[in-house]
Amino acid sequence: TCAPDTTTCTSTYSILVDTSVPNVVLTCPTYLTVDSCQTQAEVDDAFADWLASATVAGGCNTVLTNNNTGAPSHCGGSTTVTFTVESGCEPPVTCSAVFTVTNAPALSISCPSNQTETSCQSQASIDAAYTAWLASASASGGCPGASLSNDGGAAPSACGGSKTVTWTAYSTCDTLMCTAVFTVTSAPVVSLTCPANNTQAACQTQAAIDAAYSAWLASASFSGGCNAAISNNGGAAPDDCGGSKTVTWTVTSTCESDVTCSAVFTVTAAPLLV
């Protein structure tokens, strides 16, 4: 009979494990330039998106950081950012990129020259000249939507005065101011000269007394004032047989209160008939 038989054999299997770690690959954002005159919030958002566009591949337990200190001003500037990847299996890897905001257009302002107007014009004429003067200021450049304003208010009085006006040009990224003066010369002061008291002898004809009285009334004089006129309350002359009149002259002017003076015209009393 056949005896039991046992046969054995041995085989070895080898499993190869690749323990190498891929090198870190850091890709920085591309250099980016954005327009100025946006809001700062819009620039900040664009900057945050740009920072987030850096990528890392490879390495062990990689950590990506950057040294940014905030976006540039929305009015212009640039920031250079360095990105750093730290990995457990190799030294830190870095790269740098630049985020730029273009410079905002320069703002400029031009004020009118100081202007002087003569007094005694109508207030309407002064107002028109003042309005035209205010409008002659100008501003240019700056961000879209730049504005120009002034604190001029109403014109000075046509009788004299001055206004110092400040114009302000405002843009998102700049503010400029300039100042000028609009002057109306002071109205000349009224000067009124009354005739001296006048005494006429009695027994002249009434015509002679009337002529002397008219000449006396007309001898009052004045100067200055605006659109000034002189008048008096003399009326008719005193009687040639005797009497007196106290006369008041009045000068009216656009730019000051009435100015007055008075004098007396006398005809001596006729001698009594005996």
Side-chain angles (χ1 to χ4, degrees):
T1 65
C2 296
D5 192 9
T6 299
T7 303
T8 62
C9 66
T10 302
S11 178
T12 303
Y13 296 90
S14 297
I15 298 175
L16 299 177
V17 179
D18 186 359
T19 59
S20 63
V21 176
N23 291 334
V24 170
V25 176
L26 172 59
T27 303
C28 259
T30 57
Y31 284 32
L32 180 62
T33 298
V34 300
D35 291 334
S36 58
C37 297
Q38 304 179 63
T39 65
Q40 189 62 51
E42 289 171 328
V43 170
D44 291 346
D45 288 344
F47 184 66
D49 291 342
W50 179 77
L51 292 176
S53 68
T55 60
V56 177
C60 289
N61 303 315
T62 55
V63 176
L64 174 62
T65 59
N66 65 70
N67 68 343
N68 93 85
T69 56
S73 167
H74 64 295
C75 295
S78 64
T79 298
T80 299
V81 179
T82 298
F83 298 82
T84 301
V85 175
E86 294 184 356
S87 170
C89 298
E90 62 181 284
V93 177
T94 63
C95 67
S96 295
V98 180
F99 182 95
T100 300
V101 178
T102 60
N103 290 324
L107 181 65
S108 65
I109 187 172
S110 176
C111 261
S113 301
N114 295 340
Q115 182 164 323
T116 300
E117 295 285 331
T118 58
S119 58
C120 299
Q121 301 179 59
S122 67
Q123 189 63 50
S125 295
I126 293 296
D127 291 347
Y130 184 65
T131 298
W133 180 74
L134 290 177
S136 66
S138 62
S140 61
C143 292
S147 63
L148 178 64
S149 61
N150 67 73
D151 62 356
S157 167
C159 296
S162 67
K163 263 290 180 67
T164 299
V165 179
T166 298
W167 286 262
T168 301
Y170 173 78
S171 171
T172 304
C173 290
D174 204 359
T175 299
L176 296 177
M177 293 186 294
C178 63
T179 299
V181 181
F182 185 95
T183 301
V184 178
T185 59
S186 296
V189 176
V190 171
S191 175
L192 172 59
T193 302
C194 263
N197 295 337
N198 189 305
T199 299
Q200 296 288 322
C203 298
Q204 302 180 58
T205 66
Q206 188 62 49
I209 294 297
D210 290 348
Y213 185 66
S214 294
W216 180 74
L217 290 178
S219 67
S221 64
F222 75 94
S223 62
C226 288
N227 308 308
I230 189 169
S231 62
N232 66 72
N233 64 348
D239 188 88
D240 61 331
C241 293
S244 68
K245 269 278 183 76
T246 299
V247 178
T248 298
W249 286 262
T250 302
V251 175
T252 58
S253 171
T254 305
C255 291
E256 63 182 287
S257 300
D258 291 350
V259 177
T260 62
C261 66
S262 297
V264 181
F265 186 94
T266 302
V267 178
T268 59
L272 295 174
L273 179 61
V274 177

